[in-house]
Amino acid sequence: MRRTDTATLDRQPTTDEISDSAIAMVDEQGTVLGWTQAAERLVGFPAGEVVGRSAALVLPSFEDAAATSAFVERCRAHRGWSGTTAVRHRDGRLLTVSLRISMLWGQDGSIRWLVSVTDIRRLSREATNGSVRESLLTRAPIGIVVRDPQLRCTWVNDTMESHDGVPRGRRLGRRSADALPAVRTEAFESAMRQTLRTGTPSVHEFRRRLSASPRREHILTASFFCLQDGEGQALGVCAISVDVTESRRAQERLAILSEAGTRLGGTLDVMRTSQELADLAVPLFADYAVVDLEHSVTTGEGAAVHIGPTGERLPVFRRAGMASVRNGVPESPWACGEPVTVPLAPFTDILRTGRPHLEPVLRVAPGSWTEQDPVRARKIHEYGMHSLMIVPIRARGVLLGVVQFIRTEDPVPFQEDDLLLAEELVSRAALSLDNARLYAREHATALALQCNLLPQRLRGGTAVEAASRYLPADLDIGVGGDWFDVIPLSGARVALVVGDVVGHGINATAAMGRLRTAVHMLAEMELPPDELLTRLDDTLVRLGAGVLDARDQLTAVTGATCLYVVYDPVTRKCTMAGAGHPPPAVVDPQGRVTFPDLPTGTPLGVGLGTSFESMELELPEGSLLALYTDGLVETRDRDIEAGMDRLGAALSEPGLSLEDLCTRTMATVPGPAPSDDVTLLLVRTRSLGPSRVASWTLPSDRTAVRSARRLTAGQLSEWGMDGLEDSTGLIVSELVTNAVRHSTGPIRLRLIRHQALTCEVFDSNGCLPRVRHADTTDENGRGLFLVARLSRRWDSRPEPGGKVVWSEQDIVPSPARGHLADRPERPPEPAGACPARAW
């Protein structure tokens, strides 16, 4: 939107913009005094046949003298007339036209009439933009000035004074430069001379400020016509102007809003949308604009701020977008992304009411809010900020932020119509920002959910070294249904798991979280892989049935695949079972890749009730295991066999680190965005040699406890762990005593030194123990209570032919546990006694 302090020609006319209205000037008796080329084109009469004759020649309605006299009186009373009538063509035809008659005043008070005529049929076929035709044919006020060949004003109507503020008396007999000394009029006079010279009408647009309202700019459109006398010579030039300020500003506002519709909302990035809003406002109707968003909108976290009373504390805002007519936006004290300090006033009222703030004249005055904000006050002085609008960004009662529009270079202050435009513009941006806010909140929630569900650090202990990669198919949200885990088990063993829930996005993530939790709970029960998958399948079927009963189909898990592997670094044995999942890749230390012939099994949750089968491998130390989901090896256009070949080729580099192997393997995923979630878990196995493991077989009699304590003390001394002799001796005593009491057959004792000290006791009784709460008078039942106090954790697990009860201690004793004195050995009870009572 251009602004200027002087009247200037904004642009030269085009052919389509030149008015085709026929113009004629008649005196009070109805005699034609001036004629135009457009009039000749319309009715066919040349100037020589019309000038000096009665207007009734072309206006049949003027042939009745009495009716004409009455009509003239009505025109005098109303300063003119407009309507529809008929005109006579030179060939005798009658044309229906729109007619407008305007009264003109001369120096001696005489009156002339300017008659403008346009063919209605032509008007209906052509657009009227850029001309004054629509004003000539309606009651809209138009300014008319008739000038002689020397461009002195000879005739003028009353409306013209409202266009340029020049009274009739000061205008008549003078040129434009004399009547408007403060305005540069060379361009107008040049255009009028050209019209006099060629006889061709022209149309121009200019902008002007009136002395009555110097801060308001007016947009005027002027058409110049050459009036000819009876000889066809130039009698003068007629300038017809119309104030199109409101219509043009409306067009400009519509253009801005139309551009806003195409430029805003193309992204779900709140920062980018804010910058687009600032860029749109400058320089269309502001010289400097900033967009400040409420903190939760930019982060997707925290409670939303609602429109209403805010108390003494204002929300935290961050600068999200800014634009200026000056390079680098020096007006802004803050960069994008930085927190912004806002003064209590006027922001408090804006946030409380949700209404915008208009300050047409912005001053730093004593007691004003600007004076209380030294940073802004300095910028206002430095860059000449003189007019301000602050518009809140709100959607559904939630405050998203505020936008400030400021003028510095443009001297015209903001007005109410500018505020309406700004509100409309901000409201359109608010829809995009609200969508972006909701997306950011959902995205943050999904990422937080994913981060909390997937392991942040893989704990392989002394059993394995691990690394992983995860690439969701939904890159926008960044979450999916794949999961992986490394779960420490007792005896330095570790469980490796990878799974894939059907579907993508946050619902699949939620389902994955439920499955991962179930796997952790079942892993804590130390179940073998096949039994664990069976329990997991039953759990998933029950969960799915419960969701379906609740009529919530969105979160129902329709199926999942899973691979569960347990690796024992003492025996270097790896036991695995799968549920509809591809087998792992096994790479030996020399780089040879194999895929075990693992029974596939059925996917989890489909309700077939089938059992799962395990297989066992013995792995050399330093072997590589690759667990993955099918998104890594299978695409829509490539089968899984080709994908597994690519995977094997990527893994056959034994010298690379796990991180490098992960990067190398993920590079085999075709395309920038996978069609399915991709998960990769790589582990390199370790082993615990004989120097870190000690095991003994004990008889199931009274001597077992004493032997177990003696062997344990000797082994701890050999390992340099004498500080644990007392506590470990008590643990071994309790576990072996219970094994003697409740089982038959040999008892095996094993000590494992890894990240902790593990004590394991195997017996042939398959019943798993539980802690008893013994009364003060009971002689037995406190054994496992003592074990729990002395251990950082303890439990039991089923083994073929019986069970293992194990206990773990920190290598460095925990001060919190204290130090218990030795206890005398408990005498064993008869074999076969109920474990639930004795333990």
Side-chain angles (χ1 to χ4, degrees):
M1 189 183 295
R2 254 179 89 184
R3 297 176 286 271
T4 178
D5 290 330
T6 60
T8 59
L9 293 175
D10 273 9
R11 52 189 171 83
Q12 295 299 316
T14 62
T15 304
D16 293 338
E17 292 177 324
I18 297 176
S19 176
D20 292 316
S21 296
I23 303 296
M25 190 167 70
V26 301
D27 61 14
E28 290 187 276
Q29 288 72 40
T31 302
V32 178
L33 302 178
W35 198 247
T36 61
Q37 292 180 355
E40 181 177 351
R41 287 195 299 270
L42 179 62
V43 297
F45 289 102
E49 296 182 10
V50 179
V51 175
R53 300 181 62 180
S54 172
L57 176 65
V58 293
L59 293 171
S61 58
F62 283 14
E63 293 176 349
D64 185 342
T68 299
S69 177
F71 177 75
V72 170
E73 290 303 320
R74 288 200 304 272
C75 288
R76 279 179 174 272
H78 297 91
R79 298 292 195 271
W81 180 87
S82 64
T84 303
T85 188
V87 297
R88 182 184 293 112
H89 195 273
R90 190 169 183 266
D91 60 11
R93 309 181 276 120
L94 292 181
L95 304 175
T96 301
V97 298
S98 288
L99 175 71
R100 180 161 186 165
I101 301 174
S102 303
M103 178 186 289
L104 305 180
W105 297 92
Q107 278 188 312
D108 55 0
S110 58
I111 293 176
R112 294 291 183 269
W113 301 97
L114 189 79
V115 180
S116 57
V117 178
T118 301
D119 188 347
I120 289 181
R121 294 173 300 173
R122 184 175 182 85
L123 177 66
S124 64
R125 293 195 302 267
E126 297 181 355
T128 60
N129 285 342
S131 72
V132 298
R133 185 184 303 117
E134 58 183 323
S135 293
L136 294 175
L137 302 179
T138 65
R139 296 183 181 274
I142 61 174
I144 303 173
V145 176
V146 178
R147 300 183 182 275
D148 62 16
Q150 288 73 42
L151 302 184
R152 293 173 301 209
C153 176
T154 56
W155 304 95
V156 65
N157 72 341
D158 293 333
T159 304
M160 195 62 206
E161 182 176 352
S162 66
H163 286 187
D164 57 15
V166 180
R168 184 200 313 167
R170 196 175 79 190
R171 186 193 310 272
L172 288 170
R174 298 180 180 179
R175 293 170 50 191
S176 296
D178 299 327
L180 298 167
V183 179
R184 300 180 61 182
T185 59
E186 296 88 346
F188 297 119
E189 293 191 347
S190 176
M192 288 187 285
R193 289 192 184 96
Q194 182 179 359
T195 299
L196 285 171
R197 185 171 59 254
T198 63
T200 303
S202 60
V203 181
H204 298 275
E205 182 180 288
F206 59 97
R207 297 167 186 262
R208 176 178 294 167
R209 291 183 178 85
L210 305 181
S211 57
S213 55
R215 293 184 177 274
R216 179 175 175 82
E217 185 179 60
H218 290 260
I219 306 173
L220 303 175
T221 300
S223 295
F224 301 137
F225 303 90
C226 180
L227 292 173
Q228 298 175 341
D229 59 14
E231 303 298 326
Q233 300 299 313
L235 179 67
V237 60
C238 175
I240 302 178
S241 63
V242 59
D243 191 333
V244 295
T245 302
E246 295 304 323
S247 62
R248 188 56 49 84
R249 290 177 70 87
Q251 292 174 10
E252 291 171 341
R253 286 195 293 267
L254 289 175
I256 293 174
L257 295 177
S258 176
E259 188 173 356
T262 59
R263 290 177 56 177
L264 298 177
T267 176
L268 289 175
D269 186 335
V270 294
M271 302 295 285
R272 182 175 171 183
T273 300
S274 299
Q275 187 59 50
E276 289 173 348
L277 174 58
D279 291 337
L280 184 63
V282 177
L284 287 177
F285 70 102
D287 299 319
Y288 168 51
V290 294
V291 181
D292 297 329
L293 295 182
E294 194 271 322
H295 176 73
S296 68
V297 178
T298 60
T299 62
E301 300 176 353
V305 175
H306 294 270
I307 300 293
T310 59
E312 295 299 323
R313 298 187 61 183
L314 292 175
V316 176
F317 291 94
R318 289 189 178 274
R319 185 128 299 172
M322 56 186 182
S324 170
V325 294
R326 296 179 174 88
N327 292 331
V329 197
E331 300 95 328
S332 176
W334 299 280
C336 281
E338 292 184 348
V340 175
T341 302
V342 296
L344 285 177
F347 284 85
T348 303
D349 291 338
I350 294 173
L351 304 184
R352 178 176 54 83
T353 63
R355 292 194 294 268
H357 172 78
L358 171 62
E359 204 160 337
V361 180
L362 179 63
R363 295 190 182 96
V364 180
S368 66
W369 68 271
T370 52
E371 186 191 40
Q372 300 170 10
D373 188 349
V375 175
R376 282 185 171 84
R378 186 177 68 254
K379 293 291 184 178
I380 290 172
H381 279 303
E382 184 176 356
Y383 295 102
M385 303 179 188
H386 66 87
S387 192
L388 167 72
M389 293 188 299
I390 305 177
V391 181
I393 310 172
R394 58 188 189 275
R396 293 181 289 192
V398 173
L399 175 73
L400 307 180
V402 292
V403 187
Q404 299 179 57
F405 304 94
I406 299 174
R407 281 184 176 168
T408 58
E409 298 295 311
D410 178 16
V412 180
F414 287 119
Q415 303 169 37
E416 290 293 339
D417 55 348
D418 294 311
L419 184 60
L420 292 175
L421 172 61
E423 286 188 278
E424 180 64 26
L425 184 63
V426 171
S427 68
R428 298 195 178 198
L431 296 176
S432 301
L433 287 171
D434 190 45
N435 289 334
R437 174 185 70 91
L438 295 176
Y439 168 78
R441 188 171 290 271
E442 180 179 349
H443 190 216
T445 302
L447 288 180
L449 176 63
Q450 187 85 35
C451 289
N452 288 323
L453 292 179
L454 292 180
Q456 302 303 300
R457 184 171 61 89
L458 299 177
R459 298 181 301 154
T462 56
V464 296
E465 175 193 1
S468 64
R469 291 291 188 275
Y470 173 69
L471 180 63
D474 192 343
L475 294 177
D476 290 332
I477 297 181
V479 296
D482 286 7
W483 89 93
F484 60 92
D485 225 328
V486 178
I487 306 172
L489 301 177
S490 64
R493 298 172 308 138
V494 65
L496 312 173
V497 59
V498 64
D500 183 2
V501 174
V502 174
H504 311 292
I506 194 168
N507 288 328
T509 303
M512 174 269 286
R514 299 163 77 182
L515 276 177
R516 181 172 181 261
T517 301
V519 169
H520 268 265
M521 294 179 63
L522 294 173
E524 288 292 326
M525 298 172 62
E526 304 271 5
L527 298 175
D530 53 349
E531 186 176 344
L532 182 142
L533 291 181
T534 300
R535 298 276 191 96
L536 186 62
D537 183 44
D538 293 340
T539 301
L540 192 57
V541 170
R542 290 196 302 272
L543 288 175
V547 171
L548 292 176
D549 290 343
R551 300 181 180 272
D552 185 2
Q553 300 283 345
L554 292 178
T555 57
V557 182
T558 57
T561 65
C562 183
L563 175 64
Y564 188 80
V565 178
V566 175
Y567 174 70
D568 187 343
V570 176
T571 63
R572 290 185 285 104
K573 289 182 179 180
C574 180
T575 307
M576 61 186 72
H581 204 87
V586 180
V587 186
D588 66 17
Q590 289 71 43
R592 292 185 293 268
V593 182
T594 58
F595 292 91
D597 189 16
L598 178 67
T600 304
T602 59
L604 302 171
V606 297
L608 296 181
T610 57
S611 60
F612 301 94
E613 299 181 37
S614 295
M615 71 174 298
E616 186 175 270
L617 302 174
E618 185 172 338
L619 302 177
E621 182 177 3
S623 297
L624 182 71
L625 279 175
L627 285 71
Y628 53 91
T629 55
D630 56 2
L632 180 65
V633 295
E634 188 176 23
T635 62
R636 293 187 179 95
D637 55 348
R638 300 181 185 181
D639 60 24
I640 192 170
E641 296 296 334
M644 294 173 72
D645 290 341
R646 292 195 308 272
L647 173 61
L651 295 175
S652 59
E653 290 288 340
L656 295 179
S657 68
L658 290 185
E659 291 295 333
D660 290 340
L661 279 174
C662 281
T663 302
R664 175 185 171 96
T665 304
M666 294 299 288
T668 65
V669 178
S675 58
D676 195 5
D677 301 331
V678 176
T679 298
L680 174 65
L681 174 62
L682 294 182
V683 297
R684 184 167 280 132
T685 64
R686 300 167 176 152
S687 65
L688 294 178
S691 63
R692 305 179 70 176
V693 180
S695 60
W696 306 274
T697 301
L698 305 172
S700 182
D701 57 27
R702 298 176 62 93
T703 64
V705 176
R706 183 177 295 106
S707 299
R709 292 192 63 156
R710 177 175 49 79
L711 292 170
T712 298
Q715 187 62 55
L716 292 179
S717 178
E718 181 180 339
W719 282 343
M721 302 171 66
D722 299 281
L724 293 178
E725 180 181 346
D726 291 343
S727 58
T728 308
L730 281 173
I731 292 172
V732 167
S733 295
E734 296 298 335
L735 296 184
V736 172
T737 296
N738 284 310
V740 171
R741 285 180 176 179
H742 305 298
S743 68
T744 59
I747 298 170
R748 291 197 299 271
L749 169 64
R750 184 167 72 168
L751 300 180
I752 304 173
R753 176 171 60 90
H754 53 112
Q755 292 177 326
L757 176 64
T758 299
C759 173
E760 296 181 342
V761 174
F762 170 84
D763 64 62
S764 59
N765 191 328
C767 294
L768 300 180
R770 62 183 178 86
V771 177
R772 263 189 70 188
H773 297 285
D775 294 331
T776 55
T777 58
D778 291 344
E779 295 184 3
N780 299 305
R782 299 178 180 86
L784 289 181
F785 175 76
L786 289 173
V787 171
R789 289 294 304 273
L790 293 169
S791 308
R792 73 176 185 182
R793 66 174 187 147
W794 76 275
D795 209 331
S796 61
R797 65 176 183 266
E799 288 276 340
K803 69 175 181 297
V804 168
V805 183
W806 55 268
S807 165
E808 282 185 1
Q809 299 176 82
D810 293 322
I811 298 296
V812 178
S814 173
R817 298 187 181 277
H819 194 77
L820 297 182
D822 287 349
R823 282 185 43 185
E825 300 168 2
R826 289 187 293 129
E829 294 182 3
C834 177
R837 288 186 179 179
W839 291 49

